[in-house]
Amino acid sequence: PRVFTKIADVLPTFLIGGFVAGTWELGRTNGTASVTLRPFARLPKADATALEAEADRVLALVAPTAADRSVRIGS
């Protein structure tokens, strides 16, 4: 139920160790791009660091001209 909407759409997810560990959302407004990661449980520091780095690479790919890019872990 955490990865499906009421109309059965599947939310974007991320994996840790081959298992779905949370969802993520891309945001873009007025030259700013962001990724919000929503883990299902507390992340070990190493996993959080790796996810932040990967999310930053995604932002560089999908929003290369954004004046500001940010990655946030939370709800």
Side-chain angles (χ1 to χ4, degrees), residues 9-62:
D9 286 335
V10 178
L11 298 172
T13 59
F14 60 86
L15 306 177
I16 295 178
F19 296 94
V20 175
T23 61
W24 63 274
E25 181 179 4
L26 176 64
R28 288 189 239 191
T29 56
N30 300 329
T32 299
S34 64
V35 170
T36 301
L37 301 162
R38 294 184 180 92
F40 298 148
R42 185 172 175 87
L43 297 174
K45 180 75 171 153
D47 290 337
T49 300
L51 283 169
E52 287 173 336
E54 183 67 14
D56 193 49
R57 287 190 292 271
V58 167
L59 284 173
L61 179 68
V62 300

